[in-house]
Amino acid sequence: MTYRPGRHLLQLPGPSNVPDRILRAMHRNTIDHRGPEFQALARRVLDGMKRVFRTEGRVFIYPSSATGAWEAAMTNTLSPGDRVLFFDRGFFAEAWSRVAARLGLEVVKVPGDWRTGVSAADLRAALRADPERRIRAVMVVHNETSTGVTTELPALRAVLDELAHPALFLVDAVSSLAATEYRHDEWGVDVCISGSQKALMLPPGLAFAAVGPRALERSAQATLARSYWSWSEQIRFNDDGYFPYTPATGLLFGLDEALRMLEAEGLETVFSRHARFAAATRSAVAAWGLETYSTRPSEHSNAATTVRVPEGHSGDALRRVILERWDMSLGSGLGPLADQVFRIGHLGDFNDLMLMGTLSGVEMGLRAAGVPHRSGGAQAALEHLSA
Ligand code: PLP
């Protein structure tokens, strides 16, 4: 392959760019995962992740992709044949529901418009249709990475409370954690899962689960088979600063550094930085005369923007041109959105000039790929960022 000077821009909605500080933190020999240095590291990262999830409860860390934590959330809290509620609102909600079905759960899926999030009315209607209260868990993706739509979680908790419905509230915050406000305890979420490769700025390979007291209680009665994912095993070891099996020590060094960086910047500042990039990106999309896939302004994602490609044009051809000519990766359309959209990731270790590079690359790509648009999107973002 020919040498390509300069940095590749990894503008997927995750995995995101890994900052040099984290790369350096991981660039060291493995340490004894049963020794005192590891114990101090494990305690720091387990505590640090509790602050990120905003929970006083437990956080478990698995050497796995986030999909593993989906499985952990369900196998620890549910029993074979339990009825679980999903909302068909995007590729990842759909994928999570398939995992549930494969585990032997009875999946109830509420159809809906992928361009909007799950509303209080959606959940109220679904729970009212369950007078016998057979639904054991409600599963919601906080930020649907495929569509760029964020669901407002507190409104959903309020519905569960209003109906005094005993279902557990399980949330996927894979692409929202550390990009968008998330408050595990305050929002009454029972289990929230996430992954390392998005706004936590790490390479892929770690999965997280924040677990509240109700979910821990349920895990004592739940009978789905579990071994690798078992919380009781994790607790037994985590309490002493260790893991039940060989942990991903290198990634934990990186996580330790990521937590230092997030805390130095301050989570609120991190969230407003992401919100500002998302707004600047949307101003570019509007100036190009294109459309975001997400339609409700209050639900636009702070982590990623999904952009519709005009009829008769190809999102994949556009991404290909941008990769070949400007060495930037954008997200593809997933599932039924294949080729119809492209996704701009603006999450993690990212700043104004990286965003301007990204949007300039998109604008040059639109021109090179012959996608009809007006010029001036990058300029509009520049005005937004400098306002
Ligand atoms: N959930 C969401 C919202 C995601 O965006 C992703 C991956 O992009 C996943 C789950 C699956 O995560 P992983 O690929 O790390 O298993």
Side-chain angles (χ1 to χ4, degrees):
M1 277 196 32
T2 52
Y3 173 68
R4 313 194 80 170
R7 283 230 167 181
H8 173 75
L9 266 78
L10 185 67
Q11 296 322 130
L12 308 173
S16 64
N17 294 287
V18 180
D20 292 343
R21 265 181 71 168
I22 291 183
L23 292 174
R24 279 195 296 273
M26 293 190 303
H27 189 77
R28 50 174 297 198
N29 199 1
T30 306
I31 56 172
D32 172 11
H33 60 287
R34 309 262 184 238
E37 188 185 353
F38 182 87
Q39 185 185 43
L41 167 71
R43 287 190 162 141
R44 274 198 309 279
V45 294
L46 287 165
D47 279 353
M49 285 309 295
K50 282 166 62 165
R51 291 191 291 276
V52 173
F53 277 107
R54 295 199 150 126
T55 183
E56 298 291 320
R58 293 251 173 205
V59 172
F60 300 114
I61 304 178
Y62 295 102
S64 139
S65 93
T67 299
W70 275 346
E71 188 161 332
M74 297 187 287
T75 54
N76 280 284
T77 58
L78 296 161
S79 302
D82 274 358
R83 188 175 286 181
V84 292
L85 182 69
F86 281 92
F87 295 88
D88 181 13
R89 283 319 222 287
F91 180 83
F92 290 103
E94 190 57 26
W96 193 6
S97 76
R98 284 198 301 273
V99 176
R102 286 196 288 264
L103 289 174
L105 297 169
E106 185 194 327
V107 172
V108 176
K109 208 179 313 168
V110 180
D113 173 9
W114 276 28
R115 300 188 71 178
T116 61
V118 183
S119 70
D122 297 326
L123 179 60
R124 196 176 290 111
L127 294 182
R128 284 206 172 129
D130 176 41
E132 290 161 21
R133 311 204 152 200
R134 287 198 47 213
I135 292 171
R136 301 283 290 164
V138 173
M139 335 295 230
V140 177
V141 176
H142 186 201
N143 183 66
E144 202 15 285
T145 326
S146 59
T147 60
V149 173
T150 304
T151 280
E152 293 171 59
L153 298 174
L156 303 187
R157 175 76 253 172
V159 170
L160 283 160
D161 292 345
E162 163 199 318
L163 302 179
H165 199 290
L168 289 177
F169 189 23
L170 308 191
V171 166
D172 168 326
V174 172
S175 57
S176 55
L177 194 72
T180 301
E181 175 141 87
Y182 176 79
R183 296 178 172 274
H184 190 78
D185 291 357
E186 198 178 313
W187 295 355
V189 177
D190 293 298
V191 184
C192 177
I193 68 102
S194 195
S196 53
Q197 74 274 24
K198 311 263 183 191
L200 289 169
M201 309 177 283
L202 295 162
L206 291 180
F208 306 94
V211 177
R214 273 180 9 120
L216 274 184
E217 265 166 43
R218 287 273 183 98
S219 72
Q221 298 118 38
T223 59
L224 272 177
R226 68 191 94 116
S227 166
Y228 182 80
W229 308 113
S230 163
W231 292 340
S232 53
E233 277 297 284
Q234 294 283 333
I235 290 170
R236 210 154 65 78
F237 284 83
N238 285 177
D239 280 351
D240 290 330
Y242 299 108
F243 288 84
Y245 35 65
T246 315
T249 309
L251 285 165
L252 296 180
F253 289 142
L255 177 59
D256 198 22
E257 189 68 6
L259 290 166
R260 257 183 230 118
M261 292 164 70
L262 289 171
E263 284 178 4
E265 188 178 353
L267 277 180
E268 296 305 331
T269 313
V270 172
F271 300 151
S272 54
R273 175 165 58 79
H274 281 80
R276 188 165 157 271
F277 294 150
T281 302
R282 289 193 301 274
S283 70
V285 173
W288 288 323
L290 300 180
E291 213 186 323
T292 61
Y293 190 74
S294 164
T295 51
R296 276 189 200 137
S298 62
E299 294 179 342
H300 292 321
S301 169
N302 286 346
T305 301
T306 300
V307 184
R308 293 182 91 197
V309 179
E311 248 343 270
H313 292 270
S314 159
D316 289 343
L318 170 67
R319 290 188 316 107
R320 203 159 40 241
V321 166
I322 292 173
L323 178 62
E324 278 165 11
R325 294 197 43 188
W326 293 286
D327 200 19
M328 174 166 75
S329 295
L330 296 172
S332 59
L334 297 173
L337 300 184
D339 210 30
Q340 296 175 20
V341 299
F342 64 95
R343 296 177 299 142
I344 305 171
H346 33 73
L347 76 170
D349 189 56
F350 204 54
N351 64 28
D352 288 24
L353 296 189
M354 291 166 86
L355 179 65
M356 286 313 305
T358 301
L359 296 175
S360 303
V362 174
E363 187 155 335
M364 289 190 287
L366 290 167
R367 197 174 299 171
V371 175
H373 69 289
R374 294 191 299 264
S375 57
Q379 182 65 33
L382 189 148
E383 305 294 339
H384 187 97
L385 291 176
S386 43

